[in-house]
Amino acid sequence: MNNKQSDKNSSADNVDEYLQTLGSEDARELRYYSQEQPFSSDEMTRLINEERLNKLLAQSDEFLSSLNGEIKDFDDEY
């Protein structure tokens, strides 16, 4: 039981320390910027599937066009 109590204290200490870190503006900023990963244009070109992207863009255009038509029909009815 003594080991369990020791573990609980340790966990509580860790949680308290983490919560204090969350409140720190500098720590939040550091976490935010540490997640950024700059990509060169060559890397982006290699990573993006241009054919798939074009298909998705065409689908979104079709969807928006259809939605726009539905909205116009709705406006005409009322």
Side-chain angles (χ1 to χ4, degrees), residues 19-36:
L19 290 175
Q20 288 178 9
T21 304
L22 285 177
S24 167
E25 188 66 34
D26 292 337
R28 269 187 286 179
E29 204 169 305
L30 180 62
R31 280 194 307 279
Y32 175 77
Y33 288 113
S34 68
Q35 294 174 13
E36 289 186 5

Side-chain angles (χ1 to χ4, degrees), residues 55-68:
K55 285 179 183 177
L56 289 172
L57 289 172
Q59 287 175 353
S60 67
D61 287 346
E62 289 172 19
F63 171 75
L64 291 174
S65 179
S66 170
L67 185 60
N68 195 25

Side-chain angles (χ1 to χ4, degrees), residues 2-55:
N2 197 10
N3 285 343
K4 288 184 180 182
Q5 184 65 31
S6 174
D7 289 345
K8 286 182 183 177
N9 289 341
S10 176
S11 296
D13 290 341
N14 290 336
V15 168
D16 185 48
E17 183 180 326
Y18 178 73
L19 290 175
Q20 288 178 9
T21 304
L22 285 177
S24 167
E25 188 66 34
D26 292 337
R28 269 187 286 179
E29 204 169 305
L30 180 62
R31 280 194 307 279
Y32 175 77
Y33 288 113
S34 68
Q35 294 174 13
E36 289 186 5
Q37 296 180 5
F39 290 100
S40 71
S41 59
D42 290 340
E43 287 174 309
M44 290 301 287
T45 302
R46 184 175 52 82
L47 293 173
I48 293 174
N49 180 337
E50 191 172 346
E51 182 180 340
R52 179 69 179 138
L53 179 60
N54 287 333
K55 285 179 183 177

